[in-house]
Amino acid sequence: MASGGVCEQDRRAIFSAGLEAILHQFPFQILGFHSDNGSEFINHTVARLLEKLRIEFTKSRANRTQDHALVEGKNGAIVRKHIGYGHIASEHAEEVQKFYTAHLNPYLNFHRPCGFATVSLDARGKRQRQYQLNDYRTPYEKLQSLPQAEQSLKQSLSFAQLDKLAHQMSDTECAAKMSAAKLKLLRRCKTESPFPLRFQ
């Protein structure tokens, strides 16, 4: 969500609206929201939104960057890999968000396998992570495998409905469609923005 070039109050309103849209994309009920200590998260607007949705709000400890190791890892493996490191001007924020919703999120959730580690304790009580062959699945497949998963879905959704979305196209077709939409988006942002994107 980009919101540069606007006052702090408007920036928070834009962020809150974007956050609410993101939360509604999850097929299951969100019980908790954990953030860092940035002012875009720690403010009355976000607090009211989460209270309205009955979501518990917690924040990380000061100066403990490891609290967000998973998020930082996903930033590198997903956001930076697909979108790059360059500045995206605020006028492109809505278009980028539409790309996430229509293309990137369905690809990541239904068609891109990722590793879910099997955690065990050694003789000294140290946690060990191992990735077996059956530890690799899409986030949607992982959701389906959880106990009583269907009870966690939002009331308006079922796995039958989500299966239709997952099987609309093959993994390869979805990846190709997402890549084409991404290239079109980034070319437009690079051409129109005074701060060209930097690709790796």
Side-chain angles (χ1 to χ4, degrees), residues 70-86:
L70 178 61
V71 171
E72 296 303 331
K74 293 299 182 183
N75 275 342
I78 296 175
V79 179
R80 301 308 178 195
K81 177 182 177 181
H82 289 286
I83 304 301
Y85 290 80

Side-chain angles (χ1 to χ4, degrees), residues 1-16 87 89-91 93:
M1 291 176 287
S3 55
V6 296
C7 69
E8 181 68 16
Q9 184 175 359
D10 288 342
R11 179 170 170 267
R12 290 180 179 178
I14 292 171
F15 182 86
S16 179
H87 171 80
S90 59
E91 60 264 26

